[in-house]
Amino acid sequence: VAPLERGFVIPSLKLAVLAFGCREFVPDDDDRARARTLVAAEPWGREQWEKLGEGLLFDGMESWLPWLSPRPRLLTDLLGDDAQVVLVEPRRLRDRAGDILAEEADLARTLAVTWTSDAERVFPPLHLEFDRLLSDTRAPAWTVTGTPEGPDTVSVVAHGFEAAIGGAERIVNQLLQFSRDGYRIVVAADGEGSVSRLRRLLEEDHGLRPTIEVAPLERGFVIPSLKLAVLAEADLTGRRRAHRVARPRRRDAERFFDDLKVGDYVVHHHHGVARFGGMVKRAVGGPERDYLLLEYRGDDKLYLPSDQIDAVRHYTGGESPTLSKLGGGEWQRTKAKVRSEVDLIAQELVVLYQKRVHSTGHAFSPDTPWQRELEDAFAYTETPDQLKAIEETKADMENEHPMDRLVCGDVGFGKTEVALRAVFKCVQDGKQAAVLVPTTLLAQQHFQTFSERYSGYPVRVEVLSRFLTNKQAAAVVKGVGDGTVDVVIGTHRLLSEDVRFKDLGLLVVDE
C-alpha cells in the first residue's frame, strides 16, 4: 500500500510500477475553469466549487461531475463497435435502475428547496436512464436469466446453485443429477491448495469427473441450454471470499428458513407484500429445484428460487397487511409515497439541525474524580467501539451546542453502559437526567442497573411506570419537579403533562 501520483519504468532494473486510478473523477483544466464560474452562478455550492476550481480531491467529489461535464459518459461508451454486452438478470437491473433514478429525483427535489429555496429547480442528473446503457453499442446484447430485452438481444437462461444448507452433500447431489443429465461440470477452486481436496471430495468420494480449474469465483451458475454447470468453491463451503470494501452482510439462509413459517407475511423488494405458502419443488428450464411459494392478492403466485432469498424480508409492520397485487403498480406507488414522506421528514430535520447548530446549550464540565471512579468500577473490559462511543458522547456533552447522538450496537454490546456514564456525568454538573424506554419491564431493569452502579454516590434514581401506586408516582413526579430526583427512568409516562423537570440536562431514549 503506497499512494503514488504516477507509475514509472526503470529499464536498467527491468522494473515497471503501475499506479491505478482510485477515483472516477479527477478534474482537468476545463473542469476547474467550469467550477470557478459556478462560484458566482451557483453560490449555494460555493465550498465545493472552490475546492474543484483549485483541483483539490475530496470525498464525494464524483457527485458534482454532472455540473462540470457537458456530455456524461458510461463504460459502454468506451467499447468498440464489435463489443458484446451481457446483462445479468436484466429485469432486476431495470427495476433497480428505476429505483435509483426515483430516489435521486426525490433527493434532488428536497435539496432544491434546501439549497436554492426553489422547489421547481432541476439539477443535472447523476445517473442516466437504463436504456442509455446500450444506446451506443451496435453488437447484440446478451441477457442472462429472464426474458429477451428486445429484437437485438439473445437470451441465455441461467440460475445459481441452491444454498448449501446442512453441508456440501446437497450441492454434490445436484452435481450428480447434472452429471446424469449429461451436463459438463466445471469447478472453480480458490487456489492450488484447494484442488486436491475438491478432487478427493468429488471424484474419489462421489465418482464425479469434473474439470477443476484455479479460478476464484464468487458463486457458480448453471446454463441449461448449454448443459453447463460451473461451481464455485464457496458454493460447497458456504464461505464467500472476503472483499476489501465492506458489503452488506448476507443473511444465513438456514436461519431464515427456520424462522419462516407457512402463512407468515413477507415483503419482496420488487413485488410487495405476500403470504409465504411454503417450499415447493418445480422444474423450470432445467433440473428440479426448490422454490419459495409467495401468494399474492387475487390468487397470484410467485415461485422464487431458494438462492434468491435476499429479495425477501419478513413483514414487520405489526398488523395483518393487505396483500399486494402481483404485476400491478400498487407496490411502486406505495414505495413512492414512502419516499415522499421521507423527503418531508428530511426537510424537517434540515430545519431542526439548522436551529440546533445556531443554538447554545449547556457545556458540561470535564470528568470529575467520581466519574473516573465509577468508570473504573465497571466489571467488564470495554470494547474499542464502546470506548469510542463513550468518549465521543462525553465530548459532545462538553461542547456548547446541544447534543444529538445516536449510539448503535447489537444486544449485549454495552449501549446501557454508555448511557449510564453519560447520565452520571450530567448529574455531576447538578443537572437532571431522564431515560425513556419502550416497556415497563425494561424500565424496571434499567432502574435496578442504574441504582446498583450509583450506590455509594449521592445520586437519587427513581422509576416512573404503571408498577407504581398513584401515591408512589405522585412522590416521584414531585421529586422531579423540585429537583430532589436526579435520574428518572420510565416509559411514555415521562411525557405526561404533569411531569415537569426542575433542570433537565440530558435525555436518553432507549430504542
Side-chain angles (χ1 to χ4, degrees):
V1 177
L4 193 63
E5 182 76 16
R6 298 176 180 277
F8 56 88
V9 178
I10 304 179
S12 60
L13 299 179
K14 293 188 179 298
L15 173 66
V17 177
L18 303 180
F20 294 95
C22 57
R23 292 188 176 275
E24 295 181 42
F25 170 48
V26 178
D28 57 21
D29 291 341
D30 292 338
D31 295 328
R32 290 195 288 271
R34 173 63 177 155
R36 288 192 288 269
T37 65
L38 290 171
V39 172
E42 304 287 351
W44 52 265
R46 183 184 188 91
E47 180 181 354
Q48 285 73 29
W49 307 141
E50 289 179 344
K51 289 181 180 178
L52 291 167
E54 295 173 8
L56 300 178
L57 304 180
F58 56 92
D59 289 341
M61 60 186 296
E62 291 82 3
S63 301
W64 306 98
L65 179 59
W67 294 89
L68 307 177
S69 176
R71 180 180 181 275
R73 303 179 73 193
L74 295 175
L75 180 62
T76 51
D77 297 338
L78 307 178
L79 301 178
D81 293 343
D82 59 346
Q84 297 278 345
V85 177
V86 178
L87 305 180
V88 179
E89 301 200 54
R91 186 170 300 173
R92 293 181 67 185
L93 282 176
R94 187 181 295 277
D95 289 343
R96 179 57 183 146
D99 288 345
I100 291 175
L101 289 169
E103 290 167 4
E104 182 187 354
D106 291 341
L107 177 61
R109 283 191 292 270
T110 301
L111 294 179
V113 176
T114 305
W115 288 346
T116 69
S117 301
D118 181 5
E120 303 301 321
R121 179 65 187 278
V122 178
F123 293 149
L126 181 60
H127 301 93
L128 303 182
E129 295 289 340
F130 180 78
D131 290 337
R132 171 73 169 75
L133 186 68
L134 303 176
S135 61
D136 289 346
T137 57
R138 299 181 177 86
W142 292 66
T143 65
V144 179
T145 303
T147 58
E149 291 289 290
D152 294 331
T153 65
V154 179
S155 179
V156 179
V157 179
H159 58 77
F161 285 87
E162 296 177 21
I165 301 174
E169 289 300 316
R170 185 169 182 172
I171 295 291
V172 172
N173 289 335
Q174 292 180 57
L175 294 179
L176 289 170
Q177 183 61 52
F178 287 140
S179 179
R180 288 191 289 268
D181 293 340
Y183 276 65
R184 181 189 177 195
I185 299 174
V186 178
V187 179
D190 287 343
E192 292 288 351
S194 304
V195 173
S196 59
R197 179 174 53 82
L198 291 172
R199 182 166 286 116
R200 183 170 58 253
L201 170 66
L202 299 176
E203 295 184 4
E204 298 177 13
D205 294 351
H206 293 90
L208 285 166
R209 290 294 182 266
T211 299
I212 302 179
E213 299 286 351
V214 176
L217 190 65
E218 178 70 16
R219 59 185 64 247
F221 56 89
V222 180
I223 304 179
S225 61
L226 301 179
K227 285 192 175 295
L228 173 65
V230 178
L231 181 78
E233 181 177 339
D235 292 318
L236 279 170
T237 63
R239 297 189 301 271
R240 300 296 172 191
R241 298 174 66 232
H243 293 273
R244 293 183 64 186
V245 179
R247 298 183 183 273
R249 187 170 54 193
R250 295 182 62 84
R251 288 175 297 160
D252 180 2
E254 186 173 7
R255 179 178 170 186
F256 179 77
F257 285 124
D258 286 344
D259 292 342
L260 196 60
K261 299 179 180 61
V262 174
D264 286 352
Y265 291 101
V266 297
V267 181
H268 188 285
H269 178 68
H270 296 302
H271 304 298
V273 181
R275 185 186 295 107
F276 176 58
M279 296 296 298
V280 298
K281 287 186 176 293
R282 290 173 65 90
V284 180
E288 190 175 67
R289 306 174 60 200
D290 287 335
Y291 289 83
L292 285 77
L293 172 59
L294 305 183
E295 300 169 342
Y296 287 86
R297 190 173 359 129
D299 295 327
D300 289 343
K301 293 181 175 61
L302 175 67
Y303 294 93
L304 183 73
S306 59
D307 60 353
Q308 295 182 18
I309 62 169
D310 276 359
V312 180
R313 296 288 185 273
H314 286 281
Y315 176 81
T316 56
E319 69 281 345
S320 297
T322 300
L323 297 179
S324 300
K325 179 69 176 176
L326 189 62
E330 177 185 5
W331 179 244
Q332 299 303 323
R333 289 192 294 271
T334 299
K335 292 203 295 185
K337 180 181 178 182
V338 171
R339 279 195 294 264
S340 178
E341 292 175 350
V342 170
D343 287 344
L344 294 177
I345 295 174
Q347 293 183 39
E348 294 173 0
L349 287 174
V350 169
V351 174
L352 173 63
Y353 275 86
Q354 286 177 338
K355 291 180 180 179
R356 186 182 299 278
V357 168
H358 294 96
S359 298
T360 301
H362 175 75
F364 287 88
S365 304
D367 286 356
T368 64
W370 276 358
Q371 180 81 33
R372 290 188 287 273
E373 183 180 298
L374 175 89
E375 296 184 1
D376 290 342
F378 186 45
Y380 306 94
T381 301
E382 299 91 341
T383 67
D385 286 342
Q386 190 180 26
L387 280 175
K388 184 173 184 287
I390 291 169
E391 294 304 319
E392 291 181 352
T393 298
K394 292 195 295 185
D396 278 355
M397 294 177 68
E398 294 177 15
N399 192 296
E400 65 177 7
H401 294 297
M403 179 174 71
D404 183 24
R405 173 167 287 274
L406 179 65
V407 178
C408 298
D410 291 338
V411 174
F413 274 63
K415 298 186 297 296
T416 300
E417 181 65 18
V418 178
L420 189 144
R421 297 186 186 188
V423 167
F424 193 78
K425 183 179 182 68
C426 169
V427 173
Q428 295 303 292
D429 246 24
K431 296 279 188 177
Q432 294 172 294
V435 181
L436 181 63
V437 298
T439 66
T440 301
L441 178 61
L442 188 57
Q444 207 64 34
Q445 291 173 342
H446 278 347
F447 171 65
Q448 182 175 350
T449 300
F450 278 65
S451 298
E452 290 175 354
R453 290 294 306 283
Y454 293 166
S455 63
Y457 299 98
V459 178
R460 180 183 171 188
V461 182
E462 294 289 354
V463 66
L464 192 58
S465 71
R466 61 182 176 83
F467 283 168
L468 273 62
T469 65
N470 291 338
K471 183 178 180 180
Q472 291 171 327
V476 174
V477 170
K478 181 177 181 299
V480 170
D482 62 23
T484 56
V485 171
D486 300 298
V487 181
V488 60
I489 302 169
T491 58
H492 61 280
R493 176 69 174 84
L494 287 178
L495 306 179
S496 302
E497 292 185 359
D498 64 324
V499 180
R500 300 294 179 90
F501 290 84
K502 181 180 181 180
D503 191 6
L504 181 63
L506 177 67
L507 170 65
V508 176
V509 181
D510 192 348
E511 298 189 0

